[in-house]
Amino acid sequence: MNRRTALITGASTGIGADFARRLGADGLDLVLVARSHDKLEALAADIRRDARVSVTVLPRDLAAPDAPRDLVAECERLGIEVDFLLNNAGFGTHGSVADADPERLAEEIRLNCGVLTELSQRLLPGMIARRRGSIVNVASNAAFQPLPLMAVYGATKSYVLSFTEALWHETRGTGVRVLALCPGPTDTAFFDIAGEDFARSKRTTQQLIDTAKRALARNQPSVVDGVSNALVARLAVPLLPKRVALWAAAKTVGPR
Ligand SMILES: NC(=O)c1ccc[n+]([C@@H]2O[C@H](COP(=O)([O-])OP(=O)(O)OC[C@H]3O[C@@H](n4cnc5c(N)ncnc54)[C@H](OP(=O)(O)O)[C@@H]3O)[C@@H](O)[C@H]2O)c1
């Protein structure tokens, strides 16, 4: 049987963990990556119990030097060919740039942009050679506008959207699908880690995964999860004068 394998970064919690459960239920073998070894092992045990798939746990700090290169080398050493890459590991930082810890912002840029780019780049040639594969890069509805008080986060997600849509075009006709997945506020630990829970309503990870699966089936370059999120990101924001868009974004992200 021709088995397929998904590599998921940030698989220990939230969107990544629920994606792992869904892809496992769909019959894909899994490679789970994050720092929390115990959470990854517990998730792997759940998935192995519920689905007849192979689950490999590779605990890593992906922001560490050479981590993406070492991860891909480890997959090759284990004889794992990755058919589905979910570049999901990422985090945000709430607060003004002037008050932020420079090392935390550097790590945010490295993880949200650098690691995602390097993993896409290193795994793409194999997918093209096999003429099959999918890369889903997790951006955000924050990708569509500058975000005062989460300035670096918004900029990293604009990068992810731009990079991924360009990659979608570069890979046309190769058999590889590429998608920038743009969640709006989604019910995970994201806001605790960012340092502020400003979202008034949140979508579920299951709604987000349904959106991603539909967009992949249609071979869309990008998708925003949720109709109202999509209307704001794609229609309202581009029409607003920049000062108004910045004011509205700062109001949304500001403390409750
Ligand atoms: N939730 C939302 O509202 C929302 C909205 C838009 C976009 N997103 C994006 O969705 C993605 C997933 O976030 P989430 O909402 O599921 O939040 P989450 O529950 O905090 O998940 C983040 C994941 O990234 C992993 N991670 C963080 N730093 C890492 C590192 N240095 N090396 C390896 N793994 C690392 C975490 O695992 P460990 O701590 O175990 O390493 C965790 O598995 C992120 O890219 C986020 O920007 C989320």
Side-chain angles (χ1 to χ4, degrees), residues 169-191:
H169 192 272
E170 285 187 18
T171 53
R172 278 181 321 155
T174 64
V176 178
R177 294 197 173 190
V178 174
L179 173 69
L181 176 62
C182 303
T186 307
D187 194 10
T188 71
F190 174 84
F191 298 92

Side-chain angles (χ1 to χ4, degrees), residues 59-134:
R60 291 279 186 296
D61 179 354
L62 283 169
D66 298 328
R69 187 192 67 187
D70 294 348
L71 175 64
V72 172
E74 180 69 357
C75 289
E76 285 167 5
R77 199 184 64 73
L78 295 169
I80 295 170
E81 280 181 351
V82 176
D83 304 293
F84 188 115
L85 170 63
L86 179 68
N87 265 316
N88 164 74
F91 69 92
T93 305
H94 191 273
S96 69
V97 172
D99 293 332
D101 170 3
E103 285 179 15
R104 180 173 162 117
L105 295 189
E107 183 183 333
E108 190 173 326
I109 295 167
R110 167 98 192 110
L111 184 65
N112 295 7
C113 302
V115 170
L116 171 146
T117 303
E118 191 172 340
L119 287 176
S120 302
Q121 202 276 322
R122 287 185 180 277
L123 291 170
L124 187 56
M127 292 182 186
I128 292 173
R130 295 189 293 277
R131 294 202 60 77
R132 69 169 199 198
S134 302

Side-chain angles (χ1 to χ4, degrees), residues 102-229:
E103 285 179 15
R104 180 173 162 117
L105 295 189
E107 183 183 333
E108 190 173 326
I109 295 167
R110 167 98 192 110
L111 184 65
N112 295 7
C113 302
V115 170
L116 171 146
T117 303
E118 191 172 340
L119 287 176
S120 302
Q121 202 276 322
R122 287 185 180 277
L123 291 170
L124 187 56
M127 292 182 186
I128 292 173
R130 295 189 293 277
R131 294 202 60 77
R132 69 169 199 198
S134 302
I135 297 178
V136 176
N137 289 337
V138 180
S140 168
N141 66 351
F144 294 86
Q145 65 192 68
L147 211 53
L149 298 178
M150 291 188 83
V152 168
Y153 180 72
T156 65
K157 294 301 182 178
S158 296
Y159 172 94
V160 173
L161 179 63
S162 171
F163 168 73
T164 307
E165 289 186 332
L167 198 60
W168 178 88
H169 192 272
E170 285 187 18
T171 53
R172 278 181 321 155
T174 64
V176 178
R177 294 197 173 190
V178 174
L179 173 69
L181 176 62
C182 303
T186 307
D187 194 10
T188 71
F190 174 84
F191 298 92
D192 300 336
I193 291 162
E196 180 68 46
D197 189 350
F198 51 81
R200 280 166 185 79
S201 71
K202 295 187 180 110
R203 304 259 301 165
T204 67
T205 52
Q206 298 307 329
Q207 289 174 311
L208 175 66
I209 295 165
D210 288 341
T211 297
K213 289 178 89 167
R214 270 196 306 274
L216 269 179
R218 293 177 189 150
N219 196 19
Q220 291 175 227
S222 61
V223 67
V224 179
D225 179 44
V227 175
S228 56
N229 290 331

